[in-house]
Amino acid sequence: QLRFGNAESVNEQFGNNKKLMSTDQFLSNAKNTSDFVADYTKYIRPSNQVVGSETAPVTILVFSDFECPYSREEFPILREVMQKYEPVVRVVFKYLPLASIHQDSLVAAEATACAQEQGKFLQYYDLLFTKQDLRTEALIAGAKELGLNTDMFNLCLATEKYNQEINFDTADAMEIGLQGTPSYLVNGVKIGGVLTTKQWDEIILSFLNKTK
């Protein structure tokens, strides 16, 4: 349903994730079993790009869609947060292409997985959100721009080599019960929508204070 179902119903359920969540609401969610996933580490798959130390006290699983305007809006904020809290935050990137309403999101996810294969995940991730051009020819041009082996990249993209891994991420999002993109699990607590830098500060510091 998420990937290939009725576009109108999926858009109604998952396409409006702009709303901001207060820090108080987030902390309340941490106490609400329906919004807390205790065994969240099982959703960190070998195929997922991970940035940060495994021993970091805060782990953020990021579910995004390259064609989602809210994922795009959140991207520079998340990048700033990653840089600011690099020693204490681990970020796990997961794909959630809503293909029934965002027709280029799936191929963009596949292209990023192909870039990850050549060690250029973050650079390619940045490129897609910055340039906002997800046409296949632009995806291939982006790989060339980053100095990837284009023959290897093109074959990877043409054969949909990482489609199964992307399906796993989508299935994880469904199992967790996420409500759109961008969505996150922060140490197992579900939160969604475009968050401000200030909100991320409050959320991350709330966990760091607990570890003291």
Side-chain angles (χ1 to χ4, degrees), residues 46-77:
S47 59
N48 296 146
Q49 178 71 47
V50 179
V51 177
S53 170
E54 189 174 345
T55 60
V58 180
T59 296
I60 305 172
L61 274 66
V62 180
F63 290 80
S64 58
D65 175 329
F66 287 106
E67 200 171 349
C68 168
Y70 305 131
S71 292
R72 187 182 306 133
E73 184 177 345
E74 181 68 15
F75 164 68
I77 299 171

Side-chain angles (χ1 to χ4, degrees), residues 113-132:
C114 292
Q116 180 183 351
E117 180 181 72
Q118 297 191 44
K120 291 290 183 73
F121 174 90
L122 287 178
Q123 295 91 325
Y124 199 83
Y125 193 93
D126 187 304
L127 184 75
L128 295 194
F129 275 127
T130 301
K131 291 203 169 183
Q132 301 178 26

Side-chain angles (χ1 to χ4, degrees), residues 105-157:
S105 60
L106 178 56
V107 68
E110 291 171 343
T112 307
C114 292
Q116 180 183 351
E117 180 181 72
Q118 297 191 44
K120 291 290 183 73
F121 174 90
L122 287 178
Q123 295 91 325
Y124 199 83
Y125 193 93
D126 187 304
L127 184 75
L128 295 194
F129 275 127
T130 301
K131 291 203 169 183
Q132 301 178 26
D133 189 347
L134 305 181
R135 296 170 301 160
T136 300
E137 55 267 32
L139 298 175
I140 294 172
K144 184 176 182 180
E145 179 180 332
L146 294 177
L148 300 181
N149 180 319
T150 52
D151 289 339
M152 184 185 302
F153 178 89
N154 293 346
L155 180 61
C156 175
L157 189 60

Side-chain angles (χ1 to χ4, degrees), residues 18-187:
K18 170 70 173 179
K19 60 182 180 180
L20 295 174
M21 179 181 291
S22 70
T23 306
D24 288 342
Q25 185 179 354
F26 173 82
L27 296 176
S28 174
N29 285 357
K31 301 174 183 178
N32 183 341
T33 55
S34 67
D35 288 314
F36 179 69
V37 181
D39 56 345
Y40 66 91
T41 56
K42 77 175 186 178
Y43 298 112
I44 303 176
R45 298 181 176 274
S47 59
N48 296 146
Q49 178 71 47
V50 179
V51 177
S53 170
E54 189 174 345
T55 60
V58 180
T59 296
I60 305 172
L61 274 66
V62 180
F63 290 80
S64 58
D65 175 329
F66 287 106
E67 200 171 349
C68 168
Y70 305 131
S71 292
R72 187 182 306 133
E73 184 177 345
E74 181 68 15
F75 164 68
I77 299 171
L78 181 63
R79 181 171 54 185
E80 180 182 341
V81 168
M82 288 173 60
Q83 294 171 347
K84 183 176 182 179
Y85 293 101
E86 182 181 0
V88 294
V89 168
R90 173 174 61 154
V91 178
V92 181
F93 292 90
K94 295 180 73 68
Y95 302 109
L96 185 51
L98 307 181
S100 61
I101 56 175
H102 297 149
Q103 62 181 4
D104 295 323
S105 60
L106 178 56
V107 68
E110 291 171 343
T112 307
C114 292
Q116 180 183 351
E117 180 181 72
Q118 297 191 44
K120 291 290 183 73
F121 174 90
L122 287 178
Q123 295 91 325
Y124 199 83
Y125 193 93
D126 187 304
L127 184 75
L128 295 194
F129 275 127
T130 301
K131 291 203 169 183
Q132 301 178 26
D133 189 347
L134 305 181
R135 296 170 301 160
T136 300
E137 55 267 32
L139 298 175
I140 294 172
K144 184 176 182 180
E145 179 180 332
L146 294 177
L148 300 181
N149 180 319
T150 52
D151 289 339
M152 184 185 302
F153 178 89
N154 293 346
L155 180 61
C156 175
L157 189 60
T159 58
E160 301 179 350
K161 183 175 179 179
Y162 292 102
N163 191 265
Q164 184 178 37
E165 284 75 11
I166 295 168
N167 285 337
F168 286 151
D169 281 355
T170 303
D172 289 345
M174 294 292 286
E175 184 175 312
I176 294 167
L178 300 182
Q179 295 298 306
T181 53
S183 287
Y184 321 92
L185 283 184
V186 186
N187 282 7

